[in-house]
Amino acid sequence: MAEELFKEMEQDSRAYGAMISGAAKFRDVDRALSLFAEMKDKGLPGTVEAYNSLISASILAKETPQLRFDYVQQLLGNMSSDGLQPNLYTMNAILEAFIQGRWRKAMPYSLSVLAEMRRLNIEPSLGTYYSLMMIFCSCDFSNATILYDIMKHLDGKELEIRHPTDVYFFNTAMEVCLKSLRDKELGYRIHNLLEFKNNCKLLGNSFSESQYFKFFFKLLCQTEDVDKLMDIYEKYVPNTYTPEPSVTLAIIEAIHFSGNYKHLPKMCSDVLFFEQNERENILSTLMDAAGCMKHEEKVQEHLVNMVWNIYEKLNQRSEGRRRLPFDWTGVLLGNFLKLS
């Protein structure tokens, strides 16, 4: 359909640009390159959108990072010859082309792109910083310290979506903070930026939001006082975030490690509420923490009630369904008997 319309309409730069962008978007690189060559043969100047699409398609058009870089330079030269100035989408497309493959030269080249953006008065978007993190961390996790420099530029700013990749920033920043830096204060800076004014709109879809909070809570489990951890947990769970089993397990382990068992009844309740009581690793860790010692009377009473609820729930799970009964191990039963 698009090809037929293209044949019938005036084939000017805008028409070619739309066709090139469409072909590149649907990964038909050969067709995009053919249209670009045809446009040039007719002496027509390109459009910024067409060049941006071809730069994005360089990931498919060229096999190695160096060939990709040379091709991008060639396209930028053509843009200059056509009297066109790069925009935010151009620069982000260049950075995205550098992400593919572990290419050492990508780091200095990406910083050069950032410097050129500033020279051209192009304000980086969150997607720009996302690409920088991906480039630096893909080569060596020790380069993750670039996140500190990025946050210096972003602290206290009200942000807006300016590029499709902007929604990947917060999720990736918190993941880098957890896996590479393990810096609680940096994690709070990222989180405070997210909560500033309407910046939460840049978190992306529900999956991205879930991933962000998973990384955030796992970071707090490793670095934060348990009382503060549970204050934050109560703020977001379950209104904003439903914890994955791995997060539930990490929180129970943090409580057990710290000996701050007053929060254990809450986790018992949530294990039931979120139907995670059939996960053996969670139940084993929970029962181990609950049965490791005689707790304060109020905590002990709550724990006994909650553990009984879990026990009854597990024993009833096969009723009316063709499911095997829960396999109670000796250790689990032993910890249960300690409580009762």
Side-chain angles (χ1 to χ4, degrees):
M1 179 67 75
E3 292 285 351
E4 292 175 4
L5 287 173
F6 178 64
K7 291 176 182 177
E8 294 176 2
M9 65 191 300
E10 181 184 354
Q11 296 182 357
D12 57 7
S13 294
R14 291 180 60 187
Y16 272 103
M19 289 297 295
I20 291 168
S21 297
K25 180 179 179 180
F26 290 99
R27 305 173 74 86
D28 190 352
V29 180
D30 291 339
R31 180 56 178 157
L33 294 175
S34 173
L35 285 165
F36 180 71
E38 186 179 311
M39 180 182 68
K40 283 299 175 183
D41 287 342
K42 291 182 177 181
L44 296 172
T47 63
V48 174
E49 292 72 25
Y51 280 112
N52 292 348
S53 298
L54 290 170
I55 292 171
S56 297
S58 66
I59 298 169
L60 301 172
K62 303 298 177 181
E63 294 182 359
T64 68
Q66 185 62 57
L67 288 175
R68 202 174 299 141
F69 176 73
D70 294 339
Y71 178 62
V72 168
Q73 280 194 313
Q74 178 187 334
L75 289 173
L76 291 174
N78 289 338
M79 280 188 76
S80 179
S81 299
D82 286 342
L84 301 173
Q85 180 169 301
N87 59 17
L88 174 65
Y89 278 67
T90 312
M91 296 309 192
N92 282 359
I94 296 170
L95 292 174
E96 288 168 26
F98 291 162
I99 292 174
Q100 304 298 319
R102 296 174 180 271
W103 192 39
R104 286 283 177 180
K105 290 182 181 179
M107 288 188 290
Y109 284 156
S110 63
L111 293 178
S112 297
V113 171
L114 196 62
E116 184 66 12
M117 289 179 73
R118 289 173 180 147
R119 189 186 71 81
L120 296 172
N121 293 318
I122 301 172
E123 179 68 23
S125 72
L126 286 186
T128 310
Y129 295 124
Y130 156 75
S131 294
L132 285 174
M133 283 189 289
M134 295 296 291
I135 291 167
F136 275 69
C137 296
S138 66
C139 293
D140 189 339
F141 281 118
S142 64
N143 296 315
T145 52
I146 192 174
L147 182 54
Y148 292 105
D149 297 320
I150 291 171
M151 288 306 299
K152 287 179 183 177
H153 292 285
L154 295 176
D155 278 330
K157 286 186 176 181
E158 184 176 8
L159 306 167
E160 59 181 16
I161 294 179
R162 298 168 52 224
H163 189 271
T165 58
D166 289 352
V167 295
Y168 302 142
F169 172 79
F170 282 108
N171 188 348
T172 304
M174 194 58 76
E175 183 179 14
V176 169
C177 189
L178 165 67
K179 296 182 178 179
S180 301
L181 302 171
R182 288 188 173 85
D183 186 332
K184 175 180 69 175
E185 298 307 320
L186 180 62
Y188 281 131
R189 286 172 65 189
I190 295 168
H191 192 65
N192 290 339
L193 177 65
L194 175 71
E195 294 207 313
F196 184 69
K197 295 193 175 180
N198 292 316
N199 290 349
C200 60
K201 293 180 179 179
L202 283 91
L203 193 51
N205 58 26
S206 58
F207 176 76
S208 181
E209 181 181 59
S210 179
Q211 289 291 101
Y212 170 85
F213 277 105
K214 179 179 74 173
F215 298 138
F216 183 44
F217 276 110
K218 285 190 174 184
L219 175 67
L220 296 182
C221 285
Q222 296 177 17
T223 59
E224 186 55 277
D225 173 77
V226 168
D227 287 333
K228 181 69 178 294
L229 164 65
M230 293 307 294
D231 285 342
I232 297 172
Y233 179 87
E234 298 258 4
K235 179 179 179 180
Y236 293 105
V237 176
N239 298 326
T240 303
Y241 170 61
T242 300
E244 292 90 338
S246 64
V247 173
T248 300
L249 179 63
I251 293 173
I252 295 171
E253 288 174 339
I255 292 171
H256 193 14
F257 181 78
S258 69
N260 199 340
Y261 294 109
K262 66 183 180 183
H263 300 294
L264 211 51
K266 168 64 178 172
M267 296 310 300
C268 283
S269 175
D270 283 0
V271 164
L272 268 176
F273 182 74
F274 296 124
E275 298 183 344
Q276 296 175 351
N277 50 293
E278 295 187 17
R279 294 184 175 266
E280 188 175 340
N281 58 345
I282 290 178
L283 188 60
S284 177
T285 305
L286 185 62
M287 296 296 289
D288 187 43
C292 70
M293 60 180 286
K294 193 76 173 177
H295 303 287
E296 295 178 8
E297 184 176 349
K298 190 174 181 180
V299 174
Q300 188 77 10
E301 183 181 345
H302 285 151
L303 280 175
V304 170
N305 291 334
M306 292 308 304
V307 169
W308 264 110
N309 287 338
I310 292 174
Y311 180 81
E312 291 173 356
K313 188 84 170 178
L314 288 172
N315 284 340
Q316 293 171 1
R317 76 175 194 162
S318 59
E319 292 183 8
R321 294 183 294 175
R322 295 180 179 179
R323 297 182 62 180
L324 294 173
F326 185 79
D327 186 17
W328 285 90
T329 65
V331 173
L332 281 175
L333 285 172
N335 283 327
F336 177 79
L337 291 172
K338 285 180 187 178
L339 274 173
S340 55

